[in-house]
Amino acid sequence: MSIDTQPTGGWPGPRPGSGYDSVTFARLEADARAIIARYPQARSALLPMLHLVQAEDGFVSRDGIGFCAHMLSITPAEVSAVATFYTQYKRRPNGRYTVGVCTNTLCAIMGGDEIFDELSDHLGVGHDETTEDGAITLERVECNAACDYAPVVMVNWEFFDNQTPASATAMVDDLRLGKDVAPSRGALSVCDFKAMSRVLAGFTDGRADEGVGAGAPTVAGTVLAREHGWVAPGTEQPDQGDGATEDTSGAATGDASGAQPTDGAPSTGAEQSSAERPPVGPADTTPEAER
Ligand code: FES
């Protein structure tokens, strides 16, 4: 079936399903087809398609909803139902930078609420509102699994760790002035909302390997486990014998990725042999005869 004969859900526009002009439509169509090809069912591509629309329009526009419905052979109502469920999808023009202040439990205790209040006063906007110059959309966000750096502020989903009201205020001022702003980890500078949305749609910007990943607080548990010879219940203790192979699964150190600490923390030599280490997990009290 050609695209021009697919159902449009009754959506008006110069091109099927949307009001995009033919040049824009052709460009988006090529991107959409690349996204859809990743999935066994076309409709499964809706989430990255919505990011693609945000990369084009800066929010999930009426044209974008029609475009998604057309390309995925679903109704605009179905697209809207998804777009209104997730807070990452914006239903009105977003600022160039989404500044999300984590006010979940740990960050709130560590000062997240004060940071949000300070930014709200400084920028003159509340939650999910955008400054008049279109630069900043301020949000309260939920935990971003960066509690070891609380309180955390996200700018277009890049981490700004251990923030204070003063540091966050200085950061948004720099963003509004168009200065390069560097997050604490990851990419070397933040990109704007449209560029970020295109990455979320699955089109790499070539910057995935920039900057540091996990810092010292993130691997602190791994280092402690090595110092004390701790292992997770039910896992094998690394064989520390004479020249024996080292466990690189990561399971024994609690590092699910299997990666070694990025801080290059050396082995402490404190690991114990299986005969020396204390039992881990609940003792097996099952009578021998029942085993
Ligand atoms: S509570 Fe803020 S990152 Fe977890």
Side-chain angles (χ1 to χ4, degrees), residues 130-180:
T130 301
T131 54
E132 283 186 1
D133 61 0
I136 307 286
T137 297
L138 182 65
E139 287 183 342
R140 294 179 183 272
V141 296
E142 301 298 328
C143 178
N144 276 274
C147 316
D148 37 1
Y149 297 98
V152 167
V153 175
M154 311 289 292
V155 178
N156 289 346
W157 304 112
E158 299 288 359
F159 288 106
F160 288 74
D161 302 331
N162 304 123
Q163 290 294 289
T164 65
S167 66
T169 301
M171 181 259 289
V172 297
D173 284 348
D174 284 346
L175 289 172
R176 297 180 87 180
L177 291 172
K179 295 182 179 178
D180 264 355

Side-chain angles (χ1 to χ4, degrees), residues 102 104-107 143-147 152:
C102 181
N104 221 187
T105 308
L106 186 55
C107 283
C143 178
N144 276 274
C147 316
V152 167

Side-chain angles (χ1 to χ4, degrees), residues 29-108:
E29 181 189 10
D31 286 342
R33 292 202 181 283
I35 294 171
I36 293 168
R38 301 177 197 145
Y39 298 91
Q41 303 286 334
R43 63 187 297 141
S44 301
L46 179 54
L47 297 184
M49 288 274 290
L50 288 169
H51 286 302
L52 177 68
V53 165
Q54 293 200 131
E56 182 67 26
D57 293 333
F59 69 113
V60 178
S61 62
R62 180 181 171 91
D63 286 341
I65 289 174
F67 175 76
C68 290
H70 173 76
M71 293 298 299
L72 302 176
S73 296
I74 57 180
T75 67
E78 289 173 309
V79 177
S80 294
V82 173
T84 53
F85 182 81
Y86 297 102
T87 56
Q88 278 184 298
Y89 299 123
K90 308 299 182 182
R91 296 309 315 280
R92 53 184 181 274
N94 200 71
R96 292 191 298 282
Y97 302 98
T98 299
V99 175
V101 182
C102 181
T103 52
N104 221 187
T105 308
L106 186 55
C107 283

